[in-house]
Amino acid sequence: LPDTEQCYVDVVRAANASKASGNQAFSLVGEFRQACTKGGGGAGAAGETTMRSIWALLVDMLGAANIAGAAPSTPRHTEALAAGARQHLERGHAAHMAATVARHRVAAERGADPEPLRDVQAYIQVKLGGSGRGVLDFQAPGGHDTAWMQVYLALRNGWHDAARRAADRAHDMSLARLGEGGGLRAVLDEWLRGNGRCSDRTSHALARGCETLLRDKAALK
């Protein structure tokens, strides 16, 4: 058998032996993940989803569900699986961001500041440095506004406090009335408190604000 298939066969044998011995700690998905790596299933082109990454996702999803202790096929179990998937994607994006900044140290100008928001800004600096947008807002007052981008990237990494700090710097007048006048920071706080949900009033106001932003962006082209 090819190496990958042989590794999978070995896992099935180990699973059968574990079941026969009453070993409840055996992780079938985790073993399949390791087998995929040993068998060469971890290699892939840039941007390609590999079997190794799929097994890793499943390990994190099931791990979160096990920690939650919810019975399968219940809403709580489904929420735990979704939380595990989200955390997996957040860690993956944070690793991608760190690797990108490390590859472009000169352009990133990261420095030694431990503030996570600086990681976000360094990543943006790498991505937008040669785009012709000029000085960015975190480089000098009045620079190209990146507040929305900072909020988005911080949330992609699961860095909620960094996202809040970035939202504090957003001065978009179309959002000034949101969150009872608290602007984007108040809306973000509501969204985080609600685990990704906002009130109907806030959702409708955000939709109108986004439509305005899109129209303004189109007008600038």
Side-chain angles (χ1 to χ4, degrees), residues 193-208:
R193 285 195 305 270
N195 194 26
R197 298 182 179 88
C198 290
S199 66
D200 290 343
R201 177 182 178 184
T202 299
S203 297
H204 293 154
L206 269 176
R208 290 195 300 270

Side-chain angles (χ1 to χ4, degrees), residues 16-34:
N16 289 335
S18 177
K19 183 177 181 180
S21 65
N23 180 12
Q24 300 295 324
F26 185 83
S27 173
L28 183 60
V29 173
E31 291 296 325
F32 271 130
R33 175 190 180 185
Q34 293 183 18

Side-chain angles (χ1 to χ4, degrees), residues 89-110:
L89 295 174
E90 289 169 351
R91 286 192 295 269
H93 191 268
H96 159 72
M97 180 180 292
T100 300
V101 170
R103 287 196 305 269
H104 303 276
R105 293 182 183 277
V106 175
E109 298 180 340
R110 173 61 181 88

Side-chain angles (χ1 to χ4, degrees), residues 71-83:
S73 302
T74 62
R76 186 182 173 197
H77 186 262
T78 301
E79 290 176 359
L81 290 172

